[in-house]
Amino acid sequence: QVQLVESGGGLVQAGGSLRLSCVASGRSFSRYNMGWFRQAPGKEREFVGTISWSGGSTYYADSVKGRFTISRDNVKTTVHLQMNSLKPEDTAVYYCARGLYGSSWPNRYEYEYEYWGQGTQVTVSS
């Protein structure tokens, strides 16, 4: 069984930075793509970005491109979301997810993921 645990959320001012982490457990985790999604109050969950565990490729939503960076550490079975130049509209609960095996690249939709973490709150003021 796969478990994903996010951490690193908090309260920051606009223009600041946060680094989120997602620690994964389970069999053969390294052969799956990983993704980040977020959900603001009263809104649908939206795609943030994804990283390929096998090839090292990354893909981002236009809203975060150039500001957010996804990285991986396969030894520690962890993926990170580095968030710079944060804006108030980035306020949301952020979730990491493991992609379904065999899904096409890039994995931009919720239905392309099978396992989800509990989420971590990111709040950007002013």
Side-chain angles (χ1 to χ4, degrees), residues 31-43:
R31 67 194 301 174
Y32 297 94
N33 298 334
M34 299 293 295
W36 286 95
F37 289 77
R38 66 186 183 185
Q39 186 169 25
K43 296 184 178 181

mmCIF file with all atom_site columns, all heavy atoms in Angstrom, residues 31-43:
data_model
loop_
_atom_site.group_PDB
_atom_site.id
_atom_site.type_symbol
_atom_site.label_atom_id
_atom_site.label_alt_id
_atom_site.label_comp_id
_atom_site.label_asym_id
_atom_site.label_entity_id
_atom_site.label_seq_id
_atom_site.pdbx_PDB_ins_code
_atom_site.Cartn_x
_atom_site.Cartn_y
_atom_site.Cartn_z
_atom_site.occupancy
_atom_site.B_iso_or_equiv
_atom_site.pdbx_formal_charge
_atom_site.auth_seq_id
_atom_site.auth_comp_id
_atom_site.auth_asym_id
_atom_site.auth_atom_id
_atom_site.pdbx_PDB_model_num
ATOM 1   N N   . ARG A 1 31 ? 9.235   4.024  -10.047 1.00 0.00 ? 31 ARG A N   1
ATOM 2   C CA  . ARG A 1 31 ? 8.834   3.840  -11.439 1.00 0.00 ? 31 ARG A CA  1
ATOM 3   C C   . ARG A 1 31 ? 7.591   4.640  -11.805 1.00 0.00 ? 31 ARG A C   1
ATOM 4   O O   . ARG A 1 31 ? 7.077   4.502  -12.924 1.00 0.00 ? 31 ARG A O   1
ATOM 5   C CB  . ARG A 1 31 ? 8.614   2.361  -11.753 1.00 0.00 ? 31 ARG A CB  1
ATOM 6   C CG  . ARG A 1 31 ? 7.427   1.735  -11.042 1.00 0.00 ? 31 ARG A CG  1
ATOM 7   C CD  . ARG A 1 31 ? 7.480   0.230  -11.124 1.00 0.00 ? 31 ARG A CD  1
ATOM 8   N NE  . ARG A 1 31 ? 7.492   -0.258 -12.498 1.00 0.00 ? 31 ARG A NE  1
ATOM 9   C CZ  . ARG A 1 31 ? 7.653   -1.527 -12.846 1.00 0.00 ? 31 ARG A CZ  1
ATOM 10  N NH1 . ARG A 1 31 ? 7.829   -2.452 -11.912 1.00 0.00 ? 31 ARG A NH1 1
ATOM 11  N NH2 . ARG A 1 31 ? 7.647   -1.884 -14.119 1.00 0.00 ? 31 ARG A NH2 1
ATOM 12  N N   . TYR A 1 32 ? 7.096   5.476  -10.895 1.00 0.00 ? 32 TYR A N   1
ATOM 13  C CA  . TYR A 1 32 ? 5.888   6.244  -11.131 1.00 0.00 ? 32 TYR A CA  1
ATOM 14  C C   . TYR A 1 32 ? 6.180   7.731  -11.183 1.00 0.00 ? 32 TYR A C   1
ATOM 15  O O   . TYR A 1 32 ? 7.030   8.246  -10.454 1.00 0.00 ? 32 TYR A O   1
ATOM 16  C CB  . TYR A 1 32 ? 4.854   5.976  -10.037 1.00 0.00 ? 32 TYR A CB  1
ATOM 17  C CG  . TYR A 1 32 ? 4.376   4.547  -9.991  1.00 0.00 ? 32 TYR A CG  1
ATOM 18  C CD1 . TYR A 1 32 ? 4.965   3.620  -9.143  1.00 0.00 ? 32 TYR A CD1 1
ATOM 19  C CD2 . TYR A 1 32 ? 3.323   4.134  -10.805 1.00 0.00 ? 32 TYR A CD2 1
ATOM 20  C CE1 . TYR A 1 32 ? 4.528   2.306  -9.105  1.00 0.00 ? 32 TYR A CE1 1
ATOM 21  C CE2 . TYR A 1 32 ? 2.880   2.821  -10.773 1.00 0.00 ? 32 TYR A CE2 1
ATOM 22  C CZ  . TYR A 1 32 ? 3.478   1.914  -9.922  1.00 0.00 ? 32 TYR A CZ  1
ATOM 23  O OH  . TYR A 1 32 ? 3.040   0.610  -9.886  1.00 0.00 ? 32 TYR A OH  1
ATOM 24  N N   . ASN A 1 33 ? 5.430   8.430  -12.033 1.00 0.00 ? 33 ASN A N   1
ATOM 25  C CA  . ASN A 1 33 ? 5.471   9.888  -12.036 1.00 0.00 ? 33 ASN A CA  1
ATOM 26  C C   . ASN A 1 33 ? 4.789   10.430 -10.779 1.00 0.00 ? 33 ASN A C   1
ATOM 27  O O   . ASN A 1 33 ? 3.887   9.794  -10.227 1.00 0.00 ? 33 ASN A O   1
ATOM 28  C CB  . ASN A 1 33 ? 4.764   10.444 -13.267 1.00 0.00 ? 33 ASN A CB  1
ATOM 29  C CG  . ASN A 1 33 ? 5.418   10.005 -14.563 1.00 0.00 ? 33 ASN A CG  1
ATOM 30  O OD1 . ASN A 1 33 ? 6.609   9.711  -14.603 1.00 0.00 ? 33 ASN A OD1 1
ATOM 31  N ND2 . ASN A 1 33 ? 4.635   9.988  -15.639 1.00 0.00 ? 33 ASN A ND2 1
ATOM 32  N N   . MET A 1 34 ? 5.226   11.611 -10.344 1.00 0.00 ? 34 MET A N   1
ATOM 33  C CA  . MET A 1 34 ? 4.634   12.266 -9.184  1.00 0.00 ? 34 MET A CA  1
ATOM 34  C C   . MET A 1 34 ? 4.100   13.627 -9.593  1.00 0.00 ? 34 MET A C   1
ATOM 35  O O   . MET A 1 34 ? 4.667   14.292 -10.460 1.00 0.00 ? 34 MET A O   1
ATOM 36  C CB  . MET A 1 34 ? 5.652   12.429 -8.065  1.00 0.00 ? 34 MET A CB  1
ATOM 37  C CG  . MET A 1 34 ? 6.229   11.124 -7.535  1.00 0.00 ? 34 MET A CG  1
ATOM 38  S SD  . MET A 1 34 ? 4.990   10.114 -6.671  1.00 0.00 ? 34 MET A SD  1
ATOM 39  C CE  . MET A 1 34 ? 4.606   11.169 -5.276  1.00 0.00 ? 34 MET A CE  1
ATOM 40  N N   . GLY A 1 35 ? 3.013   14.039 -8.963  1.00 0.00 ? 35 GLY A N   1
ATOM 41  C CA  . GLY A 1 35 ? 2.405   15.316 -9.289  1.00 0.00 ? 35 GLY A CA  1
ATOM 42  C C   . GLY A 1 35 ? 2.058   16.129 -8.060  1.00 0.00 ? 35 GLY A C   1
ATOM 43  O O   . GLY A 1 35 ? 1.956   15.603 -6.954  1.00 0.00 ? 35 GLY A O   1
ATOM 44  N N   . TRP A 1 36 ? 1.911   17.430 -8.273  1.00 0.00 ? 36 TRP A N   1
ATOM 45  C CA  . TRP A 1 36 ? 1.428   18.347 -7.251  1.00 0.00 ? 36 TRP A CA  1
ATOM 46  C C   . TRP A 1 36 ? 0.152   19.017 -7.749  1.00 0.00 ? 36 TRP A C   1
ATOM 47  O O   . TRP A 1 36 ? 0.092   19.484 -8.896  1.00 0.00 ? 36 TRP A O   1
ATOM 48  C CB  . TRP A 1 36 ? 2.465   19.422 -6.911  1.00 0.00 ? 36 TRP A CB  1
ATOM 49  C CG  . TRP A 1 36 ? 3.627   18.932 -6.096  1.00 0.00 ? 36 TRP A CG  1
ATOM 50  C CD1 . TRP A 1 36 ? 4.832   18.516 -6.529  1.00 0.00 ? 36 TRP A CD1 1
ATOM 51  C CD2 . TRP A 1 36 ? 3.663   18.837 -4.663  1.00 0.00 ? 36 TRP A CD2 1
ATOM 52  N NE1 . TRP A 1 36 ? 5.634   18.159 -5.485  1.00 0.00 ? 36 TRP A NE1 1
ATOM 53  C CE2 . TRP A 1 36 ? 4.945   18.347 -4.322  1.00 0.00 ? 36 TRP A CE2 1
ATOM 54  C CE3 . TRP A 1 36 ? 2.756   19.115 -3.642  1.00 0.00 ? 36 TRP A CE3 1
ATOM 55  C CZ2 . TRP A 1 36 ? 5.325   18.128 -2.990  1.00 0.00 ? 36 TRP A CZ2 1
ATOM 56  C CZ3 . TRP A 1 36 ? 3.135   18.897 -2.329  1.00 0.00 ? 36 TRP A CZ3 1
ATOM 57  C CH2 . TRP A 1 36 ? 4.409   18.408 -2.020  1.00 0.00 ? 36 TRP A CH2 1
ATOM 58  N N   . PHE A 1 37 ? -0.849  19.055 -6.883  1.00 0.00 ? 37 PHE A N   1
ATOM 59  C CA  . PHE A 1 37 ? -2.102  19.749 -7.130  1.00 0.00 ? 37 PHE A CA  1
ATOM 60  C C   . PHE A 1 37 ? -2.378  20.688 -5.970  1.00 0.00 ? 37 PHE A C   1
ATOM 61  O O   . PHE A 1 37 ? -1.777  20.575 -4.904  1.00 0.00 ? 37 PHE A O   1
ATOM 62  C CB  . PHE A 1 37 ? -3.259  18.757 -7.286  1.00 0.00 ? 37 PHE A CB  1
ATOM 63  C CG  . PHE A 1 37 ? -3.224  17.955 -8.561  1.00 0.00 ? 37 PHE A CG  1
ATOM 64  C CD1 . PHE A 1 37 ? -2.350  16.894 -8.709  1.00 0.00 ? 37 PHE A CD1 1
ATOM 65  C CD2 . PHE A 1 37 ? -4.082  18.265 -9.604  1.00 0.00 ? 37 PHE A CD2 1
ATOM 66  C CE1 . PHE A 1 37 ? -2.318  16.156 -9.878  1.00 0.00 ? 37 PHE A CE1 1
ATOM 67  C CE2 . PHE A 1 37 ? -4.061  17.524 -10.778 1.00 0.00 ? 37 PHE A CE2 1
ATOM 68  C CZ  . PHE A 1 37 ? -3.184  16.474 -10.917 1.00 0.00 ? 37 PHE A CZ  1
ATOM 69  N N   . ARG A 1 38 ? -3.306  21.612 -6.173  1.00 0.00 ? 38 ARG A N   1
ATOM 70  C CA  . ARG A 1 38 ? -3.697  22.505 -5.091  1.00 0.00 ? 38 ARG A CA  1
ATOM 71  C C   . ARG A 1 38 ? -5.188  22.798 -5.184  1.00 0.00 ? 38 ARG A C   1
ATOM 72  O O   . ARG A 1 38 ? -5.787  22.735 -6.254  1.00 0.00 ? 38 ARG A O   1
ATOM 73  C CB  . ARG A 1 38 ? -2.895  23.807 -5.116  1.00 0.00 ? 38 ARG A CB  1
ATOM 74  C CG  . ARG A 1 38 ? -3.149  24.682 -6.330  1.00 0.00 ? 38 ARG A CG  1
ATOM 75  C CD  . ARG A 1 38 ? -2.195  25.872 -6.332  1.00 0.00 ? 38 ARG A CD  1
ATOM 76  N NE  . ARG A 1 38 ? -2.441  26.771 -7.444  1.00 0.00 ? 38 ARG A NE  1
ATOM 77  C CZ  . ARG A 1 38 ? -1.695  27.830 -7.722  1.00 0.00 ? 38 ARG A CZ  1
ATOM 78  N NH1 . ARG A 1 38 ? -0.648  28.129 -6.956  1.00 0.00 ? 38 ARG A NH1 1
ATOM 79  N NH2 . ARG A 1 38 ? -1.992  28.604 -8.765  1.00 0.00 ? 38 ARG A NH2 1
ATOM 80  N N   . GLN A 1 39 ? -5.773  23.131 -4.037  1.00 0.00 ? 39 GLN A N   1
ATOM 81  C CA  . GLN A 1 39 ? -7.191  23.443 -3.981  1.00 0.00 ? 39 GLN A CA  1
ATOM 82  C C   . GLN A 1 39 ? -7.409  24.636 -3.066  1.00 0.00 ? 39 GLN A C   1
ATOM 83  O O   . GLN A 1 39 ? -7.142  24.570 -1.867  1.00 0.00 ? 39 GLN A O   1
ATOM 84  C CB  . GLN A 1 39 ? -8.001  22.251 -3.491  1.00 0.00 ? 39 GLN A CB  1
ATOM 85  C CG  . GLN A 1 39 ? -9.499  22.461 -3.557  1.00 0.00 ? 39 GLN A CG  1
ATOM 86  C CD  . GLN A 1 39 ? -10.274 21.180 -3.325  1.00 0.00 ? 39 GLN A CD  1
ATOM 87  O OE1 . GLN A 1 39 ? -9.790  20.257 -2.686  1.00 0.00 ? 39 GLN A OE1 1
ATOM 88  N NE2 . GLN A 1 39 ? -11.483 21.119 -3.859  1.00 0.00 ? 39 GLN A NE2 1
ATOM 89  N N   . ALA A 1 40 ? -7.883  25.731 -3.639  1.00 0.00 ? 40 ALA A N   1
ATOM 90  C CA  . ALA A 1 40 ? -8.210  26.930 -2.885  1.00 0.00 ? 40 ALA A CA  1
ATOM 91  C C   . ALA A 1 40 ? -9.635  26.816 -2.357  1.00 0.00 ? 40 ALA A C   1
ATOM 92  O O   . ALA A 1 40 ? -10.454 26.066 -2.896  1.00 0.00 ? 40 ALA A O   1
ATOM 93  C CB  . ALA A 1 40 ? -8.060  28.162 -3.765  1.00 0.00 ? 40 ALA A CB  1
ATOM 94  N N   . PRO A 1 41 ? -9.970  27.568 -1.304  1.00 0.00 ? 41 PRO A N   1
ATOM 95  C CA  . PRO A 1 41 ? -11.322 27.505 -0.752  1.00 0.00 ? 41 PRO A CA  1
ATOM 96  C C   . PRO A 1 41 ? -12.386 27.805 -1.799  1.00 0.00 ? 41 PRO A C   1
ATOM 97  O O   . PRO A 1 41 ? -12.304 28.805 -2.512  1.00 0.00 ? 41 PRO A O   1
ATOM 98  C CB  . PRO A 1 41 ? -11.305 28.574 0.340   1.00 0.00 ? 41 PRO A CB  1
ATOM 99  C CG  . PRO A 1 41 ? -9.873  28.669 0.745   1.00 0.00 ? 41 PRO A CG  1
ATOM 100 C CD  . PRO A 1 41 ? -9.095  28.457 -0.515  1.00 0.00 ? 41 PRO A CD  1
ATOM 101 N N   . GLY A 1 42 ? -13.378 26.930 -1.900  1.00 0.00 ? 42 GLY A N   1
ATOM 102 C CA  . GLY A 1 42 ? -14.472 27.122 -2.827  1.00 0.00 ? 42 GLY A CA  1
ATOM 103 C C   . GLY A 1 42 ? -14.145 26.853 -4.280  1.00 0.00 ? 42 GLY A C   1
ATOM 104 O O   . GLY A 1 42 ? -14.982 27.121 -5.147  1.00 0.00 ? 42 GLY A O   1
ATOM 105 N N   . LYS A 1 43 ? -12.961 26.333 -4.571  1.00 0.00 ? 43 LYS A N   1
ATOM 106 C CA  . LYS A 1 43 ? -12.566 26.075 -5.946  1.00 0.00 ? 43 LYS A CA  1
ATOM 107 C C   . LYS A 1 43 ? -12.229 24.606 -6.160  1.00 0.00 ? 43 LYS A C   1
ATOM 108 O O   . LYS A 1 43 ? -12.015 23.856 -5.211  1.00 0.00 ? 43 LYS A O   1
ATOM 109 C CB  . LYS A 1 43 ? -11.358 26.938 -6.327  1.00 0.00 ? 43 LYS A CB  1
ATOM 110 C CG  . LYS A 1 43 ? -11.622 28.434 -6.310  1.00 0.00 ? 43 LYS A CG  1
ATOM 111 C CD  . LYS A 1 43 ? -10.416 29.214 -6.792  1.00 0.00 ? 43 LYS A CD  1
ATOM 112 C CE  . LYS A 1 43 ? -10.696 30.698 -6.826  1.00 0.00 ? 43 LYS A CE  1
ATOM 113 N NZ  . LYS A 1 43 ? -9.512  31.467 -7.316  1.00 0.00 ? 43 LYS A NZ  1
#
